[in-house]
Amino acid sequence: MSAHEAGALHAPGYGGIASVPAWLTPPADTGELLAPLWASSVRRGPVGSLQVGGVDVRDLAAEFGTPAYVLDEDDFRGRAVAFRDAFSDAFADLCGGADVYYAGKAFLCTAVARWVTEDGLRLDVCSGGELAVALRAGVPGERIGFHGNNKSDAELERALRAGVGRIVADSVEELDRIADLAAALGVRAPVMLRVTVGVEAHTHEYIATAHEDQKFGLSLVGGLAAAAVRRALERPEIELLGLHSHIGSQIFDTEGFEVAARRLLDLQAQVHREHGVQLPELDLGGGFGIAYTSDHDPQDPARLAKGLAAIVGRECDALGIQVPRVSVEPGRAIAGPSTFTLYTVGAIKDVLLDHGAVRRYVAVDGGMSDNIRTALYDADYSCTVASRVSAAAPVLSRVVGKHCESGDIVVRDEFLPSDVGRGDLVAVPGTGAYCRSMSSQYNHVPRPPVISVRDGQARVLIRRETEDDLLGLDVG
Ligand SMILES: Cc1ncc(COP(=O)(O)O)c(C=O)c1O
């Protein structure tokens, strides 16, 4: 959708309602749940309300209020374990297994950091704050990878003191700072180099170019990546582990990874020829897609891992090099589907568009402060009435928030029953990744809690913000 205000009002319409995206068809039953969109325990209970982890959403709303992020613990952990097992199996013969780093930027709190550690994953953090959460949770330093394109000396020093398993360096200048800090601390810094491979992948499309105009990484074609390898090998305080790339987000196939792996392994072979060094590790990043709507068809981790293992095996064979130990960094694919956001419906408006069409606006008690992805990335979401089922006819609706911004849209297009009304609960699935972690206090709206559910029990992982929290920093 256009970010311009007029975008929503000037959408073309037909036959009395606003235009429907090609992938969205009016459902026979507005209460039906599309399984790939929801955490595995979500279902409709005996009276039609949603249940998750054996808990009714009406009880969650009564106890914890709305909006709330509701996280299915078994679903989250099940996806983490599925990635762990899929990658260790697929790479077992090639390089003795593979490591999975959960990308904490998708959603991180101390409970999640503990879960992934207990379940045998590693943790990728990309700021001093995320590192602090990991350390507070007791994640052993050697299981942490530390990312970031502009790490401060203080962040690097903290990471080195914590004994992190890898720092992913983003520039030659940073390599020198890491080496100097390591020398001062009397340690050797384990380092991966983030390489810009010229592949940009999003959903079904990827673009492979030589050049990439972006802030991350060390360019291959510009020679920065090779220069960084040389620099790292010159500095005895650095233990160069290998090369890293992350090519994008919401990726559903392996074509982009194939080009990225080929380019990384070419450099790996060049390093071997020029320096006689066999880099022991290779990281292919994250970006694996999930289903936000019926339009998305993600691969399961086992297929994905087999696809990536075949690519790495083939490329290493062709180059005649030893297969490095591979790692990946999924965030969204673990956290995203585990969570839905539960809102309460407030105002409802039928707005007359050009051509006489009408668009129904359903306003909920949260919005762009708890889910910025729709406004920021044009992301599509789906939703359902969660507190009941209805036999009323489906009406194309737009779910919007309560913020002072016309782009404050949560779900751009969804069929909701025509009798949806004030007080109904609405659930938006797939909000476990990049919603709470990108949330804000815009309009001084307190951020929602994260409630995890399991075996009929709900517990607060992150409590709701209060007015005192909002005013707590205001010392004026
Ligand atoms: C370096 C790196 N690794 C992993 C991820 C996780 O990506 P996703 O959540 O799409 O799997 C990101 C996301 O931005 C990233 O920048």
Side-chain angles (χ1 to χ4, degrees), residues 109-270:
C109 61
T110 52
V112 159
R114 276 194 295 272
W115 293 345
V116 294
T117 305
E118 282 166 22
D119 292 340
L121 283 78
R122 293 161 188 255
L123 182 62
D124 146 23
V125 299
C126 69
S127 70
E130 287 184 1
L131 179 60
V133 176
L135 296 177
R136 167 80 69 86
V139 180
E142 69 271 15
R143 300 191 72 80
I144 300 174
F146 189 40
H147 268 285
N149 73 303
N150 187 23
K151 306 175 197 77
S152 68
D153 285 354
E155 287 175 319
L156 288 171
E157 187 178 332
R158 189 167 190 192
L160 287 170
R161 283 188 190 280
V164 298
R166 52 166 68 164
I167 297 175
V168 184
D170 206 81
S171 67
V172 178
E173 175 274 337
E174 188 184 72
L175 269 179
D176 279 323
R177 283 192 300 124
I178 294 171
D180 292 346
L181 286 162
L185 293 172
V187 296
R188 215 162 166 234
V191 165
M192 304 278 291
L193 298 177
R194 179 157 178 176
V195 178
T196 319
V197 289
V199 177
E200 195 182 319
H202 296 288
T203 61
H204 302 286
E205 289 151 24
Y206 82 96
I207 306 167
T209 59
H211 301 271
E212 233 180 59
D213 186 4
Q214 54 127 320
K215 69 172 184 171
F216 290 110
L218 294 145
S219 149
L220 266 182
V221 281
L224 276 180
V229 170
R230 269 196 303 279
R231 192 77 188 126
L233 294 174
E234 279 163 16
R235 299 286 312 241
E237 309 86 346
I238 287 185
E239 179 193 4
L240 183 58
L241 296 177
L243 307 175
H244 172 288
S245 83
H246 172 77
I247 58 171
S249 58
Q250 267 297 82
I251 304 167
F252 291 114
D253 52 41
T254 49
E255 286 174 24
F257 289 104
E258 176 141 25
V259 180
R262 188 178 310 134
R263 290 179 178 178
L264 283 179
L265 289 165
D266 273 346
L267 176 59
Q268 174 118 351
Q270 185 189 326

Side-chain angles (χ1 to χ4, degrees), residues 165-423:
R166 52 166 68 164
I167 297 175
V168 184
D170 206 81
S171 67
V172 178
E173 175 274 337
E174 188 184 72
L175 269 179
D176 279 323
R177 283 192 300 124
I178 294 171
D180 292 346
L181 286 162
L185 293 172
V187 296
R188 215 162 166 234
V191 165
M192 304 278 291
L193 298 177
R194 179 157 178 176
V195 178
T196 319
V197 289
V199 177
E200 195 182 319
H202 296 288
T203 61
H204 302 286
E205 289 151 24
Y206 82 96
I207 306 167
T209 59
H211 301 271
E212 233 180 59
D213 186 4
Q214 54 127 320
K215 69 172 184 171
F216 290 110
L218 294 145
S219 149
L220 266 182
V221 281
L224 276 180
V229 170
R230 269 196 303 279
R231 192 77 188 126
L233 294 174
E234 279 163 16
R235 299 286 312 241
E237 309 86 346
I238 287 185
E239 179 193 4
L240 183 58
L241 296 177
L243 307 175
H244 172 288
S245 83
H246 172 77
I247 58 171
S249 58
Q250 267 297 82
I251 304 167
F252 291 114
D253 52 41
T254 49
E255 286 174 24
F257 289 104
E258 176 141 25
V259 180
R262 188 178 310 134
R263 290 179 178 178
L264 283 179
L265 289 165
D266 273 346
L267 176 59
Q268 174 118 351
Q270 185 189 326
V271 171
H272 190 227
R273 281 194 306 275
E274 286 177 15
H275 305 282
V277 172
Q278 185 78 54
L279 297 175
E281 298 188 26
L282 179 82
D283 192 303
L284 295 174
F288 315 120
I290 65 166
Y292 287 105
T293 72
S294 59
D295 199 30
H296 301 140
D297 186 16
Q299 290 192 29
D300 71 55
R303 221 175 111 213
L304 182 67
K306 279 190 197 126
L308 294 188
I311 289 167
V312 171
R314 203 164 49 236
E315 296 301 330
C316 287
D317 257 4
L319 290 161
I321 55 172
Q322 220 172 299
V323 180
R325 182 160 178 106
V326 168
S327 51
V328 288
E329 298 169 338
R332 181 192 321 268
I334 291 174
S338 71
T339 299
F340 60 81
T341 312
L342 191 62
Y343 298 102
T344 302
V345 172
I348 294 184
K349 277 182 199 161
D350 287 332
V351 174
L352 187 63
L353 311 182
D354 286 352
H355 318 296
V358 167
R359 187 191 304 287
R360 171 157 296 185
Y361 280 83
V362 176
V364 294
D365 51 355
M368 65 193 300
S369 60
D370 59 69
N371 185 352
I372 191 64
R373 294 192 65 258
T374 310
L376 190 60
Y377 303 129
D378 255 2
D380 283 314
Y381 282 90
S382 164
C383 66
T384 192
V385 172
S387 41
R388 64 187 175 98
V389 282
S390 164
V395 168
L396 185 68
S397 305
R398 177 160 290 176
V399 177
V400 296
K402 60 180 287 168
H403 295 281
C404 294
E405 197 70 45
S406 56
D408 175 23
I409 296 169
V410 181
V411 181
R412 192 172 301 113
D413 295 292
E414 180 58 284
F415 283 97
L416 291 177
S418 60
D419 63 356
V420 67
R422 174 173 281 277

